[in-house]
Amino acid sequence: MEEDLSNRPLDNLYVCLVTLVLALHKAPPPLVETSPQAAARAEEKFQDVERAVANGQPATLRIDETELNSYLASHLTLEGNGAPKQATTGGAQGAANGAGPTPQEVEQMRSNVRDFKVQLMDDRVKAYVVFDVHGKDMTLQLEGRLGAQNGYLRFEPVSGQFGSLPIPQSALESAVQRLMDSPENREKLKLPSEISDLRIQNGEVVASYK
């Protein structure tokens, strides 16, 4: 039987439209708690570690989800607090085409961040990011494991999605690898020389200082 190809263009258009709608659909933010008290606790923990390191003593820093989000909320200057910038839609288009965003596209997203929240789950971290694309909010979610390797921060992605559109695992791993290996980002991922280990353990960020 001869295959009917007449509907293929419509099928392809439908797939493209569904993909675009999913990519542009803003995912709801995770429910994370923040408070001035938690931010103050995080500040005190950082100061305690700094004093120990200054005295030549090893130390371990433990920050839970509430403390981390509170600390970030009090220290990050996000684009949502000012006038929006312009950004390319290349990242969303790349995800729609099955390819991860380039390091340049990720850097553009970072510079247009309007909201940032972090969930800590067992040994994994999940980041929720809202960024501006031509005046429209888009969301990016990344889940994975943090670690330290040869003095640099490493991230092993487990899953990711633009809006409600899942990013293929192979494309996600390739994008993260390019991001971490690119010369312009290499130094940004360098950990302080005092940190010997970094990981997520039992829902906390654990950093070991030597």
Side-chain angles (χ1 to χ4, degrees), residues 49 53 61 148 151 191-198 206-210:
V49 166
V53 171
L61 175 69
L191 296 170
S193 59
E194 299 86 3
I195 295 182
S196 59
D197 188 32
L198 179 68
V206 181
S208 299
Y209 290 73
K210 56 187 177 181

Side-chain angles (χ1 to χ4, degrees), residues 45-103:
K45 289 182 178 182
F46 279 114
Q47 293 172 4
D48 289 343
V49 166
E50 289 175 359
R51 282 193 291 267
V53 171
N55 292 327
Q57 300 173 346
T60 299
L61 175 69
R62 294 181 180 272
I63 298 287
D64 64 28
E65 181 178 290
T66 300
E67 293 168 342
L68 177 60
N69 282 283
S70 300
Y71 182 85
L72 292 174
S74 64
H75 284 74
L76 290 179
T77 301
L78 299 179
E79 180 59 25
N81 297 327
K85 298 178 183 178
Q86 294 300 308
T88 179
T89 56
Q93 292 172 347
N97 293 330
T102 66

Side-chain angles (χ1 to χ4, degrees), residues 120-131:
L120 303 177
M121 306 166 292
D122 297 326
D123 64 341
R124 304 184 309 283
V125 59
K126 185 174 183 179
Y128 171 89
V129 186
V130 180
F131 55 94

Side-chain angles (χ1 to χ4, degrees), residues 79-87 111-112 114 132-137:
E79 180 59 25
N81 297 327
K85 298 178 183 178
Q86 294 300 308
S111 66
N112 288 274
R114 300 175 66 85
D132 175 80
V133 178
H134 296 302
K136 180 176 178 60
D137 285 350

